[in-house]
Amino acid sequence: AQRVTQPEKLLSVFKGAPVELKCNYSYSGSPELFWYVQYSRQRLQLLLRHISRESIKGFTADLNKGETSFHLKKPFAQEEDSAMYYCALMGSSNTGKLIFGQGTTLQVKP
Amino acid sequence: DAGVIQSPRHEVTEMGQEVTLRCKPISGHNSLFWYRQTMMRGLELLIYFNNNVPIDDSGMPEDRFSAKMPNASFSTLKIQPSEPRDSAVYFCASRWDLHTGELFFGEGSRLTVL
């Protein structure tokens, strides 16, 4: 069964500090992993996907198959990064099923 | 394109009443998803469709929940009868293909059942 776990409901850091939002998954095959973000008063939107191996708004995420993790990182947090972040998984069985974790609220303090 | 459109944005109802949430996906998108967002459980997948056909409804919590997609541009999620524990934000999302592509979300329908 597919499962995504985000262990932290709230992560609070000061501006300029490093950020790491944790995501662990459970899946027997090779999944696709994503991070979605919801800024205040905006729609939930895609931030990045592991297959693109890109950096968006300074955020990166590396898929670690050994640890079944896909943590989201940024070296220096900005106040505008404050938002709700969701990790998501789509299994390799090609069902198209996309499931999300519980979400982590990132609060960047000035 | 206005994106995924959901209505109503807010709904307050009393326990036992029927609730119908509506969604218009982005034109040309073939897949549509319904999610429920709560503080405790995050975003839960309820059901999703491909080419108007339900693919997986295993996330629908109870028989009180039903969803339809009569055509490519419209879907409904119905709760009958509603209960206070159904209070949540319900999101509809669409993407152009079942297996690939970014998922685009609506603004959500906030449901409060008293």
Side-chain angles (χ1 to χ4, degrees):
Chain A
Q2 301 173 203
R3 187 180 180 89
V4 177
T5 302
Q6 294 179 250
E8 302 144 326
K9 275 198 177 299
L10 173 66
L11 184 62
S12 186
V13 302
F14 285 101
K15 177 182 172 181
V19 170
E20 182 178 68
L21 298 164
K22 289 184 168 46
C23 172
N24 291 92
Y25 67 90
S26 174
Y27 186 69
S28 56
S30 295
E32 285 190 55
L33 277 296
F34 308 82
W35 278 98
Y36 278 76
V37 61
Q38 186 175 28
Y39 300 103
S40 179
R41 298 188 185 85
Q42 292 189 30
R43 300 177 186 225
L44 197 63
Q45 57 189 283
L46 178 66
L47 180 63
L48 55 80
R49 65 191 83 189
H50 91 271
I51 58 174
S52 300
R53 302 186 66 82
E54 58 197 346
S55 173
I56 302 293
K57 299 183 178 182
F59 284 97
T60 58
D62 291 318
L63 178 59
N64 186 324
K65 292 186 178 181
E67 295 183 358
T68 59
S69 68
F70 188 57
H71 304 327
L72 183 68
K73 300 177 184 179
K74 185 170 183 176
F76 308 103
Q78 302 299 315
E79 289 182 68
E80 55 265 30
D81 295 329
S82 296
M84 172 74 88
Y85 291 80
Y86 285 97
C87 182
L89 176 152
M90 186 166 72
S92 58
S93 61
N94 268 344
T95 62
K97 189 171 186 175
L98 185 65
I99 64 164
F100 288 78
Q102 302 92 324
T104 299
T105 299
L106 174 63
Q107 184 183 76
V108 181
K109 297 178 284 189
Chain B
D1 198 324
V4 176
I5 300 173
Q6 292 187 245
S7 65
R9 293 290 313 281
H10 301 273
E11 174 93 4
V12 180
T13 190
E14 293 190 345
M15 182 173 65
Q17 295 299 305
E18 178 179 294
V19 173
T20 299
L21 307 178
R22 298 172 178 79
C23 176
K24 181 181 187 305
I26 292 173
S27 178
H29 281 194
N30 295 324
S31 297
L32 183 142
F33 296 70
W34 281 101
Y35 291 90
R36 178 171 66 177
Q37 183 188 47
T38 60
M39 286 294 291
M40 290 299 295
R41 305 177 74 155
L43 267 175
E44 298 175 275
L45 176 62
L46 300 177
I47 185 171
Y48 65 104
F49 297 82
N50 191 50
N51 293 323
N52 313 335
V53 176
I55 302 300
D56 188 334
D57 66 354
S58 59
M60 297 285 260
E62 298 173 30
D63 290 346
R64 299 184 295 106
F65 285 70
S66 63
K68 294 181 180 179
M69 192 164 185
N71 57 62
S73 58
F74 184 66
S75 177
T76 59
L77 178 67
K78 188 173 292 187
I79 308 172
Q80 166 64 18
S82 58
E83 296 183 3
R85 58 192 167 129
D86 301 331
S87 298
V89 180
Y90 291 81
F91 285 101
C92 176
S94 71
R95 66 183 183 208
W96 75 274
D97 179 82
L98 181 62
H99 305 300
T100 60
E102 178 179 346
L103 200 58
F104 290 86
F105 281 81
E107 293 181 289
S109 294
R110 181 176 295 277
L111 172 65
T112 302
V113 183
L114 304 174

